[in-house]
Amino acid sequence: MQATTHNVLETQAMAAEFAATLHGGELILLIGDLGAGKTAFVQGLATALGVTARVTSPTFSIMNEYPADRGAIRRVVHLDLYRFTNENELRALALDDERRPDSVMLIEWPNVIAHDFTADVVIAIEHAGGDARTITITR
Ligand code: ADP
Ligand code: MG
């Protein structure tokens, strides 16, 4: 699935459409430059999954979790590995314990460390001139 969006609201609408295909237990990687719209996409997705809290970038907190409420999905876990430099930092998070059937996990900047995530979905967001973004969702 690929589309070009022209503002944040369109990106969040696409994220909401994608969110409707989730069942729980998914690991989703978000690839794209700084300011591409990875966090904006997660905001749209989280809202569609019933998250009412304000979703902010986990750049400094590394991992944020939010209660969700859509069918079996009870939790959204949002990570940003931008500041990571090695796999030991990842191990300290014990992500295997966080990856549960009742949770959707989203990771921004998975590619800064040489770890092979077994992801269900990869979302690539690319600048396409001005506010345009090309978003490619690969299952
Ligand atoms: P990232 O998490 O990829 O670093 P953010 O989601 O934090 O990026 O920021 C994206 C920025 O780009 C926001 O300031 C947002 O308003 C802006 N923006 C402009 N056009 C778009 C678009 N089509 N989709 C998403 N964000 C957009
Ligand atoms: Mg971000």
Side-chain angles (χ1 to χ4, degrees), residues 62-75:
I62 307 298
M63 178 160 67
N64 293 339
E65 63 169 279
Y66 304 93
D69 184 17
R70 197 184 63 85
I73 302 173
R74 312 302 301 177
R75 197 170 75 124

Side-chain angles (χ1 to χ4, degrees), residues 50-94:
V51 172
T52 54
R54 197 167 68 94
V55 172
T56 56
S57 177
T59 308
F60 295 97
S61 54
I62 307 298
M63 178 160 67
N64 293 339
E65 63 169 279
Y66 304 93
D69 184 17
R70 197 184 63 85
I73 302 173
R74 312 302 301 177
R75 197 170 75 124
V76 170
V77 184
H78 181 200
L79 292 104
D80 186 329
L81 307 186
Y82 187 65
R83 288 146 52 87
F84 275 23
T85 54
N86 64 67
E87 267 195 280
N88 293 332
E89 292 163 291
L90 186 71
R91 215 162 292 130
L93 291 176

Side-chain angles (χ1 to χ4, degrees), residues 5-8 11 33-40 108 131 133:
T5 66
H6 303 89
N7 55 55
V8 189
T11 292
D33 291 343
L34 215 54
K38 301 180 295 298
T39 298
E108 298 187 37
D131 285 348
R133 304 286 194 272

Side-chain angles (χ1 to χ4, degrees), residues 3-26:
T4 298
T5 66
H6 303 89
N7 55 55
V8 189
L9 288 181
E10 284 186 18
T11 292
Q12 293 177 338
M14 184 176 176
E17 210 174 293
F18 165 67
T21 69
L22 299 173
H23 303 286
E26 288 92 352

